[in-house]
Amino acid sequence: MNRIRNIKAFTLVELMVTLVITGIILSAVATLAYAMSSAAGAGGDAAQSHAQLRVGTLRVLDVVQNCRMVLTASDTELAIWRSDYNADGRINVNELVFLDCTATHDALCLVQSSSASNPEVIFSGGILSVSQADVMDCYAGVSQPLLSACGNVQFACDVAPPSTRQVTISFELTQDNVVHEYEIEATLRAWAGHLLNDTADGLVTEDDDE
């Protein structure tokens, strides 16, 4: 006697429905994975931006708060006597730094010298005998970025140099397509005002002591 077995199998319609459902699931998984990857990337970029902001801010505060004097100020730079390393009451080129916001105000850099000769810099009548260009061209100058890819960098002093006691640096950063405004306020802790002459536009000279 021949027996007919009742074997269950997928019909063509069932197979097609299964493939469609599988495709939908795979598409959803791929979309979710892409979204999670994008979110992680955006989060990583934001974290990196905040880390650079913190490091840059700390370096700016260190330079300004611990400096001897803000010597000159312009729309694009501050000339700063960072420290009297040789304790002679005079300014040497390696003691001089510039906070530079570039001509387009889209970055904040620190420019300093590493000159082997380390000559004295004259500051008299509110004029500095060495410019930032001189430091870069003649005294082995180095420009280090403090805040990059920022915008609208502005310098403000409470009073004109060299009597400046507080510096405010404002700038903008774009994060997640949103522009955020920031300010760094730094007060000089070791201002060497006692080294200024009677007209407060230069350092005391031997003639001033007489």
Side-chain angles (χ1 to χ4, degrees):
M1 178 183 293
N2 293 330
R3 295 181 180 176
I4 300 176
R5 295 179 180 178
N6 185 17
I7 301 175
K8 293 184 178 180
F10 287 112
T11 65
L12 180 60
V13 173
E14 290 173 331
L15 184 59
M16 291 179 64
V17 170
T18 302
L19 290 175
V20 169
I21 294 174
T22 302
I24 293 173
I25 293 174
L26 290 176
S27 176
V29 170
T31 302
L32 180 60
Y34 176 77
M36 292 178 66
S37 176
S38 299
D45 292 341
Q48 183 178 12
S49 177
H50 283 297
Q52 292 175 345
L53 177 60
R54 286 194 297 271
V55 172
T57 298
L58 289 174
R59 293 190 66 189
V60 170
L61 290 173
D62 174 62
V63 169
V64 178
Q65 289 180 339
N66 299 313
C67 79
R68 303 288 280 173
M69 198 176 292
V70 177
L71 301 169
T72 64
S74 72
D75 185 47
T76 58
E77 71 178 35
L78 299 177
I80 297 174
W81 183 16
R82 187 162 190 178
S83 181
D84 188 12
Y85 293 122
N86 56 10
D88 64 352
R90 317 307 299 167
I91 305 169
N92 294 90
V93 71
N94 289 349
E95 301 171 352
L96 184 67
V97 298
F98 294 87
L99 283 179
D100 173 34
C101 72
T102 72
T104 52
H105 298 265
D106 61 357
L108 183 62
C109 302
L110 178 70
V111 177
Q112 56 188 341
S113 165
S114 57
S115 169
S117 59
N118 193 27
E120 182 179 332
V121 176
I122 305 302
F123 178 62
S124 179
I127 299 174
L128 201 58
S129 64
V130 171
S131 68
Q132 182 188 150
D134 294 332
V135 168
M136 293 298 295
D137 295 339
C138 306
Y139 299 110
V142 176
S143 179
Q144 301 172 326
L146 299 179
L147 294 170
S148 57
C150 53
N152 195 28
V153 183
Q154 303 290 333
F155 297 129
C157 301
D158 58 342
V159 293
S163 299
T164 301
R165 298 297 299 273
Q166 181 173 301
V167 173
T168 302
I169 302 174
S170 59
F171 56 94
E172 298 174 349
L173 282 179
T174 301
Q175 299 167 326
D176 298 329
N177 297 319
V178 178
V179 177
H180 299 273
E181 297 180 354
Y182 294 93
E183 276 191 356
I184 301 173
E185 289 189 357
T187 301
L188 279 67
R189 295 171 176 169
W191 182 60
H194 63 285
L195 294 177
L196 289 176
N197 58 22
D198 292 337
T199 55
D201 63 357
L203 299 187
V204 174
T205 63
E206 293 180 359
D207 293 337
D208 296 325
D209 295 334
E210 294 178 356

